[in-house]
Amino acid sequence: MAQSLLCRVGRVVQAVRWNSRVTTRTLSASAQEEPLTLKEEQDGIRRIILNNPKKRNALSLAMLASLRDNILTGVDSDDLRVIIISARGPVFSSGHDLKELTSVQGREYHTKVFHACSEVMTLIQDIPVPVIAMVNGVATAAGCQLVASCDIAVATEKSTFATPGINVGLFCSTPGVAIGRAVPRKVAMEMLLTGQPVSAGAALRHGLVSRVVADEAELEEAARSMALRVCEASRPVVALGKAAFQRQMAQGRDAAYATASAVMVDNLALRDGQEGIRAFLEKRKPTWTHGTEKAHK
């Protein structure tokens, strides 16, 4: 099962790479303008920064393509251990660019926009490394969906979250997929039906974010601390665990236990799984191979 879960991730990555026709640093309208996203990587931690604050970091088709490429570039490298998504400016992301959703663009273009958005959101959950959202401001509609899709989310006290599409005649149906799986159903429906913003504290209580900190300095420290802790673990064990968690969450109780039990057995068969147990018994730090080699059949 471990092999099948890891292979599923590999197929997703390869499929999206095959379809990708946008460079990593997609530029907005003019070649002289800033790239829509920035990518930095150090010590196994990749930082992806939404970089269009003038347009409230709207998830335009170009922004989504750039974000997708930033996520997928080298995602199967052993050197990549965790991804942090953040944003420049007071708005994490305002969601879709409404100028792309007018009748002028047409149904085919609209379909392309929502397909691209759904692809990015599912990729975040399907890739083998954890993705952390680092929110310092407003996250609305598809921007809130992006936060809900990440494995972990840290936010400052001033951050707010909303799905205000109802107020402009466009129900936030696709954001509801991710949000409805992150918060209780009635909380999700209140957000979707009223469009009212949710405070960072309420987002924490309902499970939309993992942690709330006072300010931007603490936000940087908290996100980096989480990322470094992930980096201390065995990469294949993290990948196996993330894939198994996503899979069992979509299953009924009995099927989920069957899936999780089989994955635990597969985990024990990994060389890193046995190394961790030996290190614990011998009271020492484990030395990970970060490979998928088996200790036994």
PDB file of all heavy atoms in Angstrom, residues 42-68:
ATOM      1  N   GLN A  42      15.672  26.926   0.868  1.00  0.00           N
ATOM      2  CA  GLN A  42      16.871  26.795   1.690  1.00  0.00           C
ATOM      3  C   GLN A  42      16.624  25.773   2.789  1.00  0.00           C
ATOM      4  O   GLN A  42      15.550  25.758   3.403  1.00  0.00           O
ATOM      5  CB  GLN A  42      17.247  28.143   2.316  1.00  0.00           C
ATOM      6  CG  GLN A  42      18.562  28.129   3.074  1.00  0.00           C
ATOM      7  CD  GLN A  42      18.935  29.505   3.604  1.00  0.00           C
ATOM      8  OE1 GLN A  42      18.138  30.439   3.564  1.00  0.00           O
ATOM      9  NE2 GLN A  42      20.147  29.637   4.111  1.00  0.00           N
ATOM     10  N   ASP A  43      17.600  24.919   3.005  1.00  0.00           N
ATOM     11  CA  ASP A  43      17.543  23.925   4.092  1.00  0.00           C
ATOM     12  C   ASP A  43      16.292  23.055   4.025  1.00  0.00           C
ATOM     13  O   ASP A  43      15.700  22.718   5.051  1.00  0.00           O
ATOM     14  CB  ASP A  43      17.606  24.627   5.454  1.00  0.00           C
ATOM     15  CG  ASP A  43      18.887  25.426   5.640  1.00  0.00           C
ATOM     16  OD1 ASP A  43      19.920  25.002   5.102  1.00  0.00           O
ATOM     17  OD2 ASP A  43      18.836  26.481   6.312  1.00  0.00           O
ATOM     18  N   GLY A  44      15.879  22.708   2.819  1.00  0.00           N
ATOM     19  CA  GLY A  44      14.730  21.829   2.651  1.00  0.00           C
ATOM     20  C   GLY A  44      13.389  22.527   2.704  1.00  0.00           C
ATOM     21  O   GLY A  44      12.342  21.899   2.509  1.00  0.00           O
ATOM     22  N   ILE A  45      13.393  23.837   2.963  1.00  0.00           N
ATOM     23  CA  ILE A  45      12.143  24.600   3.089  1.00  0.00           C
ATOM     24  C   ILE A  45      11.964  25.485   1.862  1.00  0.00           C
ATOM     25  O   ILE A  45      12.813  26.325   1.561  1.00  0.00           O
ATOM     26  CB  ILE A  45      12.159  25.479   4.347  1.00  0.00           C
ATOM     27  CG1 ILE A  45      12.372  24.623   5.592  1.00  0.00           C
ATOM     28  CG2 ILE A  45      10.861  26.281   4.459  1.00  0.00           C
ATOM     29  CD1 ILE A  45      12.625  25.427   6.857  1.00  0.00           C
ATOM     30  N   ARG A  46      10.869  25.296   1.154  1.00  0.00           N
ATOM     31  CA  ARG A  46      10.554  26.142   0.000  1.00  0.00           C
ATOM     32  C   ARG A  46       9.522  27.194   0.410  1.00  0.00           C
ATOM     33  O   ARG A  46       8.480  26.856   0.975  1.00  0.00           O
ATOM     34  CB  ARG A  46       9.997  25.310  -1.151  1.00  0.00           C
ATOM     35  CG  ARG A  46       9.559  26.138  -2.365  1.00  0.00           C
ATOM     36  CD  ARG A  46       9.117  25.270  -3.513  1.00  0.00           C
ATOM     37  NE  ARG A  46      10.236  24.444  -3.976  1.00  0.00           N
ATOM     38  CZ  ARG A  46      10.101  23.472  -4.882  1.00  0.00           C
ATOM     39  NH1 ARG A  46       8.910  23.191  -5.388  1.00  0.00           N
ATOM     40  NH2 ARG A  46      11.151  22.773  -5.248  1.00  0.00           N
ATOM     41  N   ARG A  47       9.836  28.440   0.114  1.00  0.00           N
ATOM     42  CA  ARG A  47       8.899  29.528   0.353  1.00  0.00           C
ATOM     43  C   ARG A  47       8.295  29.953  -0.980  1.00  0.00           C
ATOM     44  O   ARG A  47       9.012  30.316  -1.908  1.00  0.00           O
ATOM     45  CB  ARG A  47       9.625  30.719   0.987  1.00  0.00           C
ATOM     46  CG  ARG A  47      10.117  30.498   2.399  1.00  0.00           C
ATOM     47  CD  ARG A  47       8.992  30.524   3.409  1.00  0.00           C
ATOM     48  NE  ARG A  47       8.249  31.758   3.384  1.00  0.00           N
ATOM     49  CZ  ARG A  47       8.543  32.818   4.137  1.00  0.00           C
ATOM     50  NH1 ARG A  47       9.579  32.792   4.951  1.00  0.00           N
ATOM     51  NH2 ARG A  47       7.809  33.904   4.083  1.00  0.00           N
ATOM     52  N   ILE A  48       6.977  29.908  -1.087  1.00  0.00           N
ATOM     53  CA  ILE A  48       6.265  30.425  -2.250  1.00  0.00           C
ATOM     54  C   ILE A  48       5.480  31.644  -1.783  1.00  0.00           C
ATOM     55  O   ILE A  48       4.678  31.555  -0.848  1.00  0.00           O
ATOM     56  CB  ILE A  48       5.308  29.382  -2.854  1.00  0.00           C
ATOM     57  CG1 ILE A  48       6.093  28.136  -3.293  1.00  0.00           C
ATOM     58  CG2 ILE A  48       4.548  29.967  -4.038  1.00  0.00           C
ATOM     59  CD1 ILE A  48       5.210  26.999  -3.782  1.00  0.00           C
ATOM     60  N   ILE A  49       5.741  32.789  -2.428  1.00  0.00           N
ATOM     61  CA  ILE A  49       5.145  34.049  -1.988  1.00  0.00           C
ATOM     62  C   ILE A  49       4.234  34.602  -3.080  1.00  0.00           C
ATOM     63  O   ILE A  49       4.695  34.857  -4.203  1.00  0.00           O
ATOM     64  CB  ILE A  49       6.244  35.080  -1.652  1.00  0.00           C
ATOM     65  CG1 ILE A  49       7.205  34.503  -0.608  1.00  0.00           C
ATOM     66  CG2 ILE A  49       5.616  36.378  -1.150  1.00  0.00           C
ATOM     67  CD1 ILE A  49       8.494  35.280  -0.467  1.00  0.00           C
ATOM     68  N   LEU A  50       2.954  34.758  -2.776  1.00  0.00           N
ATOM     69  CA  LEU A  50       2.037  35.418  -3.709  1.00  0.00           C
ATOM     70  C   LEU A  50       2.470  36.875  -3.797  1.00  0.00           C
ATOM     71  O   LEU A  50       2.570  37.562  -2.774  1.00  0.00           O
ATOM     72  CB  LEU A  50       0.596  35.294  -3.227  1.00  0.00           C
ATOM     73  CG  LEU A  50       0.098  33.863  -2.923  1.00  0.00           C
ATOM     74  CD1 LEU A  50      -1.382  33.892  -2.534  1.00  0.00           C
ATOM     75  CD2 LEU A  50       0.329  32.934  -4.104  1.00  0.00           C
ATOM     76  N   ASN A  51       2.707  37.368  -5.008  1.00  0.00           N
ATOM     77  CA  ASN A  51       3.432  38.624  -5.172  1.00  0.00           C
ATOM     78  C   ASN A  51       2.695  39.618  -6.066  1.00  0.00           C
ATOM     79  O   ASN A  51       3.292  40.262  -6.938  1.00  0.00           O
ATOM     80  CB  ASN A  51       4.824  38.315  -5.754  1.00  0.00           C
ATOM     81  CG  ASN A  51       5.721  39.529  -5.770  1.00  0.00           C
ATOM     82  OD1 ASN A  51       5.773  40.287  -4.800  1.00  0.00           O
ATOM     83  ND2 ASN A  51       6.434  39.730  -6.870  1.00  0.00           N
ATOM     84  N   ASN A  52       1.389  39.741  -5.867  1.00  0.00           N
ATOM     85  CA  ASN A  52       0.623  40.719  -6.643  1.00  0.00           C
ATOM     86  C   ASN A  52      -0.283  41.528  -5.711  1.00  0.00           C
ATOM     87  O   ASN A  52      -1.510  41.521  -5.835  1.00  0.00           O
ATOM     88  CB  ASN A  52      -0.213  40.001  -7.698  1.00  0.00           C
ATOM     89  CG  ASN A  52      -0.743  40.945  -8.757  1.00  0.00           C
ATOM     90  OD1 ASN A  52      -0.338  42.109  -8.841  1.00  0.00           O
ATOM     91  ND2 ASN A  52      -1.655  40.458  -9.588  1.00  0.00           N
ATOM     92  N   PRO A  53       0.325  42.231  -4.730  1.00  0.00           N
ATOM     93  CA  PRO A  53      -0.486  42.935  -3.728  1.00  0.00           C
ATOM     94  C   PRO A  53      -1.382  44.020  -4.310  1.00  0.00           C
ATOM     95  O   PRO A  53      -2.425  44.326  -3.740  1.00  0.00           O
ATOM     96  CB  PRO A  53       0.571  43.526  -2.779  1.00  0.00           C
ATOM     97  CG  PRO A  53       1.815  43.593  -3.583  1.00  0.00           C
ATOM     98  CD  PRO A  53       1.767  42.414  -4.498  1.00  0.00           C
ATOM     99  N   LYS A  54      -0.990  44.609  -5.451  1.00  0.00           N
ATOM    100  CA  LYS A  54      -1.820  45.646  -6.071  1.00  0.00           C
ATOM    101  C   LYS A  54      -3.179  45.106  -6.475  1.00  0.00           C
ATOM    102  O   LYS A  54      -4.158  45.850  -6.523  1.00  0.00           O
ATOM    103  CB  LYS A  54      -1.105  46.241  -7.286  1.00  0.00           C
ATOM    104  CG  LYS A  54       0.122  47.080  -6.939  1.00  0.00           C
ATOM    105  CD  LYS A  54       0.750  47.663  -8.196  1.00  0.00           C
ATOM    106  CE  LYS A  54       1.957  48.526  -7.860  1.00  0.00           C
ATOM    107  NZ  LYS A  54       2.602  49.078  -9.092  1.00  0.00           N
ATOM    108  N   LYS A  55      -3.238  43.813  -6.785  1.00  0.00           N
ATOM    109  CA  LYS A  55      -4.508  43.180  -7.145  1.00  0.00           C
ATOM    110  C   LYS A  55      -4.946  42.211  -6.057  1.00  0.00           C
ATOM    111  O   LYS A  55      -5.640  41.233  -6.320  1.00  0.00           O
ATOM    112  CB  LYS A  55      -4.383  42.469  -8.491  1.00  0.00           C
ATOM    113  CG  LYS A  55      -4.204  43.441  -9.652  1.00  0.00           C
ATOM    114  CD  LYS A  55      -4.356  42.749 -10.996  1.00  0.00           C
ATOM    115  CE  LYS A  55      -4.287  43.746 -12.137  1.00  0.00           C
ATOM    116  NZ  LYS A  55      -4.440  43.081 -13.467  1.00  0.00           N
ATOM    117  N   ARG A  56      -4.525  42.503  -4.836  1.00  0.00           N
ATOM    118  CA  ARG A  56      -4.941  41.740  -3.666  1.00  0.00           C
ATOM    119  C   ARG A  56      -4.608  40.251  -3.807  1.00  0.00           C
ATOM    120  O   ARG A  56      -5.316  39.393  -3.305  1.00  0.00           O
ATOM    121  CB  ARG A  56      -6.434  41.952  -3.396  1.00  0.00           C
ATOM    122  CG  ARG A  56      -6.772  43.410  -3.087  1.00  0.00           C
ATOM    123  CD  ARG A  56      -8.264  43.681  -3.163  1.00  0.00           C
ATOM    124  NE  ARG A  56      -9.034  42.924  -2.205  1.00  0.00           N
ATOM    125  CZ  ARG A  56      -9.254  43.274  -0.948  1.00  0.00           C
ATOM    126  NH1 ARG A  56      -8.752  44.397  -0.486  1.00  0.00           N
ATOM    127  NH2 ARG A  56      -9.981  42.522  -0.153  1.00  0.00           N
ATOM    128  N   ASN A  57      -3.510  39.983  -4.506  1.00  0.00           N
ATOM    129  CA  ASN A  57      -3.061  38.608  -4.728  1.00  0.00           C
ATOM    130  C   ASN A  57      -4.185  37.707  -5.239  1.00  0.00           C
ATOM    131  O   ASN A  57      -4.340  36.552  -4.804  1.00  0.00           O
ATOM    132  CB  ASN A  57      -2.452  38.036  -3.445  1.00  0.00           C
ATOM    133  CG  ASN A  57      -1.145  38.723  -3.089  1.00  0.00           C
ATOM    134  OD1 ASN A  57      -0.265  38.900  -3.922  1.00  0.00           O
ATOM    135  ND2 ASN A  57      -1.023  39.146  -1.835  1.00  0.00           N
ATOM    136  N   ALA A  58      -4.960  38.266  -6.173  1.00  0.00           N
ATOM    137  CA  ALA A  58      -6.069  37.517  -6.759  1.00  0.00           C
ATOM    138  C   ALA A  58      -5.549  36.265  -7.461  1.00  0.00           C
ATOM    139  O   ALA A  58      -4.496  36.287  -8.108  1.00  0.00           O
ATOM    140  CB  ALA A  58      -6.827  38.389  -7.756  1.00  0.00           C
ATOM    141  N   LEU A  59      -6.294  35.192  -7.349  1.00  0.00           N
ATOM    142  CA  LEU A  59      -5.910  33.925  -7.965  1.00  0.00           C
ATOM    143  C   LEU A  59      -6.400  33.899  -9.410  1.00  0.00           C
ATOM    144  O   LEU A  59      -7.301  33.138  -9.786  1.00  0.00           O
ATOM    145  CB  LEU A  59      -6.457  32.747  -7.167  1.00  0.00           C
ATOM    146  CG  LEU A  59      -5.899  32.605  -5.747  1.00  0.00           C
ATOM    147  CD1 LEU A  59      -6.515  31.400  -5.050  1.00  0.00           C
ATOM    148  CD2 LEU A  59      -4.384  32.491  -5.751  1.00  0.00           C
ATOM    149  N   SER A  60      -5.782  34.756 -10.220  1.00  0.00           N
ATOM    150  CA  SER A  60      -6.070  34.767 -11.647  1.00  0.00           C
ATOM    151  C   SER A  60      -5.565  33.465 -12.259  1.00  0.00           C
ATOM    152  O   SER A  60      -4.832  32.696 -11.616  1.00  0.00           O
ATOM    153  CB  SER A  60      -5.370  35.947 -12.308  1.00  0.00           C
ATOM    154  OG  SER A  60      -3.956  35.816 -12.174  1.00  0.00           O
ATOM    155  N   LEU A  61      -5.913  33.228 -13.514  1.00  0.00           N
ATOM    156  CA  LEU A  61      -5.445  32.018 -14.178  1.00  0.00           C
ATOM    157  C   LEU A  61      -3.924  31.998 -14.238  1.00  0.00           C
ATOM    158  O   LEU A  61      -3.291  30.959 -14.017  1.00  0.00           O
ATOM    159  CB  LEU A  61      -6.039  31.935 -15.587  1.00  0.00           C
ATOM    160  CG  LEU A  61      -5.912  30.602 -16.321  1.00  0.00           C
ATOM    161  CD1 LEU A  61      -6.514  29.467 -15.509  1.00  0.00           C
ATOM    162  CD2 LEU A  61      -6.572  30.691 -17.690  1.00  0.00           C
ATOM    163  N   ALA A  62      -3.318  33.160 -14.484  1.00  0.00           N
ATOM    164  CA  ALA A  62      -1.855  33.243 -14.534  1.00  0.00           C
ATOM    165  C   ALA A  62      -1.243  32.998 -13.152  1.00  0.00           C
ATOM    166  O   ALA A  62      -0.219  32.319 -13.029  1.00  0.00           O
ATOM    167  CB  ALA A  62      -1.429  34.601 -15.071  1.00  0.00           C
ATOM    168  N   MET A  63      -1.856  33.553 -12.106  1.00  0.00           N
ATOM    169  CA  MET A  63      -1.362  33.337 -10.749  1.00  0.00           C
ATOM    170  C   MET A  63      -1.451  31.857 -10.381  1.00  0.00           C
ATOM    171  O   MET A  63      -0.520  31.284  -9.794  1.00  0.00           O
ATOM    172  CB  MET A  63      -2.150  34.179  -9.748  1.00  0.00           C
ATOM    173  CG  MET A  63      -1.823  33.922  -8.294  1.00  0.00           C
ATOM    174  SD  MET A  63      -0.248  34.623  -7.765  1.00  0.00           S
ATOM    175  CE  MET A  63      -0.797  36.253  -7.188  1.00  0.00           C
ATOM    176  N   LEU A  64      -2.549  31.212 -10.730  1.00  0.00           N
ATOM    177  CA  LEU A  64      -2.720  29.799 -10.425  1.00  0.00           C
ATOM    178  C   LEU A  64      -1.680  28.945 -11.152  1.00  0.00           C
ATOM    179  O   LEU A  64      -1.129  28.000 -10.585  1.00  0.00           O
ATOM    180  CB  LEU A  64      -4.134  29.338 -10.808  1.00  0.00           C
ATOM    181  CG  LEU A  64      -5.266  29.844  -9.901  1.00  0.00           C
ATOM    182  CD1 LEU A  64      -6.618  29.613 -10.566  1.00  0.00           C
ATOM    183  CD2 LEU A  64      -5.217  29.150  -8.541  1.00  0.00           C
ATOM    184  N   ALA A  65      -1.402  29.302 -12.407  1.00  0.00           N
ATOM    185  CA  ALA A  65      -0.407  28.562 -13.176  1.00  0.00           C
ATOM    186  C   ALA A  65       0.981  28.714 -12.552  1.00  0.00           C
ATOM    187  O   ALA A  65       1.746  27.744 -12.445  1.00  0.00           O
ATOM    188  CB  ALA A  65      -0.394  29.048 -14.619  1.00  0.00           C
ATOM    189  N   SER A  66       1.311  29.928 -12.125  1.00  0.00           N
ATOM    190  CA  SER A  66       2.606  30.170 -11.493  1.00  0.00           C
ATOM    191  C   SER A  66       2.709  29.441 -10.157  1.00  0.00           C
ATOM    192  O   SER A  66       3.734  28.838  -9.841  1.00  0.00           O
ATOM    193  CB  SER A  66       2.808  31.673 -11.304  1.00  0.00           C
ATOM    194  OG  SER A  66       4.103  31.955 -10.848  1.00  0.00           O
ATOM    195  N   LEU A  67       1.645  29.484  -9.386  1.00  0.00           N
ATOM    196  CA  LEU A  67       1.618  28.793  -8.099  1.00  0.00           C
ATOM    197  C   LEU A  67       1.773  27.287  -8.295  1.00  0.00           C
ATOM    198  O   LEU A  67       2.533  26.626  -7.582  1.00  0.00           O
ATOM    199  CB  LEU A  67       0.305  29.116  -7.380  1.00  0.00           C
ATOM    200  CG  LEU A  67       0.078  28.474  -6.009  1.00  0.00           C
ATOM    201  CD1 LEU A  67       1.188  28.823  -5.038  1.00  0.00           C
ATOM    202  CD2 LEU A  67      -1.285  28.918  -5.449  1.00  0.00           C
ATOM    203  N   ARG A  68       1.081  26.757  -9.276  1.00  0.00           N
ATOM    204  CA  ARG A  68       1.171  25.321  -9.572  1.00  0.00           C
ATOM    205  C   ARG A  68       2.604  24.934  -9.931  1.00  0.00           C
ATOM    206  O   ARG A  68       3.143  23.933  -9.432  1.00  0.00           O
ATOM    207  CB  ARG A  68       0.235  24.976 -10.732  1.00  0.00           C
ATOM    208  CG  ARG A  68       0.277  23.512 -11.162  1.00  0.00           C
ATOM    209  CD  ARG A  68      -0.548  23.307 -12.416  1.00  0.00           C
ATOM    210  NE  ARG A  68      -0.014  24.077 -13.519  1.00  0.00           N
ATOM    211  CZ  ARG A  68      -0.654  24.265 -14.677  1.00  0.00           C
ATOM    212  NH1 ARG A  68      -1.863  23.772 -14.848  1.00  0.00           N
ATOM    213  NH2 ARG A  68      -0.101  24.968 -15.634  1.00  0.00           N
TER     214      ARG A  68
END
